[in-house]
Structures are given as structure tokens and as C-alpha cells.
Amino acid sequence: MTDVNTYLVPAEEKMEMAVAYLDETLSRIRAGKANAKILEGIRVEYYGSPAPLTNVANVSVPDARTIVITPWEKAMFKEIEKAIINSELGIMPENNGEVIRLSIPPLTEDRRKALVKQCKGEAEQAKVSVRNARRDAIDGLKKAIKQGMPEDVEKDAEAKVQKAHDKFLKKIDEVFAAKEKEILTV
């Protein structure tokens, strides 16, 4: 006979990972304010291999509309600028020979709506992942009945899975609502 925790624990871990992934993904979407995390996905050619931007330069945010990148080597200026221009940021870097500045333009109303829509899509993906984890756990519990698990134990475990599912969907809604508020705040 199998233990219910063999189904509950992995399901909760998958649900937790879905929320963490959503949080990470939403942090990379710029909301009109300078945020160093929007540069995390950018790779720079460094001695023949791609490296994260943060591995070749210092990234700081001096004010709400500016990101300052200070390369550790003078030779990296061109590579960093090229990587930023080729990225999906849509921001033109300004180089003064000492630092690279990224001026974050204020978002237009249409752009804000598009970003909210993109965030909503990411939140929906996270919800799908949570639902899949719930389905996998419930399927496993139903198979466990055939292996000798009492039905009342299976029903209790199913209720626990549903409770975890509801808790994580609520977390996803909270994360999305916070990001939506951040994007729509002018």
C-alpha cells in the first residue's frame, strides 16, 4: 500500500515551482520603472562564450528611470551595447565611455495594456501548471485505490490536493494583481 504523501508532496512542489516561475517571469517584464532584473535574460559574448550581463558588468539603478551598466573591462562596451540592442528590451543604450545608460521611457497606455495582457497570459500558464499537478496527484491517488488504499483515505487526500490547488491559484492571482497594479500605476 502506498502513502498519500507520495502524491501530495510532489504535487505541492510542482505548484510551488509554478508560482516561483511566474514571479521570476513577471519580474523581467518592465513596468515603466527601472529594474535591474529586466537585464537578467541578456547574454553577452565574453571571450568566445555567452555570459550573463551581470557577470561582465556592474548593474545599478540610480533613479526610477535609469539603469547604469559599468563594464569591468573597457573592451566589453561594444559587446554589451550590441547585446542590449539585439535583445527584446526595445531600449537604446547611451555610452559615454565610462558607463552605459539605459533610460527607461514612460509607458504609453497601449503598451501598458499589452504588458498587462502578457502578464495575464503568464499567470494563466502558471495556473495550467498548478492544475496539471493537481490532476497528476489525483490520478495517482485513484491508481493507489487499485493497489489497496482505502477509499476514504483517498478522498481525504484528494481534498488536501484540492485545498493546495486553491491556495496556489490564490497566490498566482495575488502575484498577477500586484504586477498589474505596478504596470498600470503611472
Side-chain angles (χ1 to χ4, degrees):
M1 189 172 101
T2 56
D3 183 31
V4 291
N5 286 335
T6 56
Y7 303 104
L8 293 177
V9 172
E12 282 200 15
E13 285 174 358
K14 287 178 186 173
M15 292 177 188
E16 187 68 50
M17 287 188 331
V19 173
Y21 180 78
L22 174 68
D23 204 24
E24 178 67 28
T25 304
L26 293 185
S27 72
R28 291 187 181 165
I29 295 175
R30 70 181 179 102
K33 293 187 199 100
N35 181 354
K37 283 190 173 185
I38 64 172
L39 300 175
E40 282 183 0
I42 297 178
R43 299 269 185 242
V44 178
E45 197 64 33
Y46 187 63
Y47 292 110
S49 63
L53 177 62
T54 53
N55 287 8
V56 297
N58 184 36
V59 178
S60 61
V61 183
D63 60 61
R65 295 264 179 237
T66 311
I67 298 175
V68 175
I69 303 165
T70 311
W72 294 325
E73 299 175 24
K74 291 278 187 204
M76 293 307 299
F77 274 98
K78 290 271 185 249
E79 289 295 329
I80 292 172
E81 282 186 320
K82 190 167 84 174
I84 292 170
I85 290 169
N86 292 338
S87 72
E88 297 174 1
L89 278 182
I91 300 172
M92 197 65 183
E94 302 164 17
N95 176 0
N96 68 1
E98 295 289 316
V99 294
I100 297 171
R101 290 187 193 285
L102 299 177
S103 296
I104 308 295
L107 296 173
T108 64
E109 189 62 31
D110 290 341
R111 183 71 179 134
R112 287 179 194 281
K113 288 178 181 174
L115 287 175
V116 168
K117 193 173 182 180
Q118 181 184 352
C119 291
K120 193 171 187 76
E122 295 292 344
E124 197 52 48
Q125 283 296 105
K127 286 181 179 182
V128 167
S129 297
V130 169
R131 290 181 192 122
N132 287 343
R134 175 188 63 179
R135 186 196 60 225
D136 293 345
I138 290 175
D139 288 349
L141 288 167
K142 291 201 184 301
K143 288 178 184 167
I145 287 179
K146 293 178 181 137
Q147 297 169 356
M149 179 185 285
E151 278 188 40
D152 59 334
V153 172
E154 185 268 343
K155 288 290 179 205
D156 291 344
E158 220 174 278
K160 286 180 185 173
V161 169
Q162 184 62 42
K163 198 174 194 180
H165 167 267
D166 296 343
K167 178 179 89 173
F168 284 105
L169 283 188
K170 188 174 181 221
K171 269 188 190 177
I172 288 170
D173 287 337
E174 289 168 0
V175 169
F176 169 69
K179 186 65 176 184
E180 182 181 34
K181 183 179 178 205
E182 180 185 341
I183 291 171
L184 294 177
T185 302
V186 179

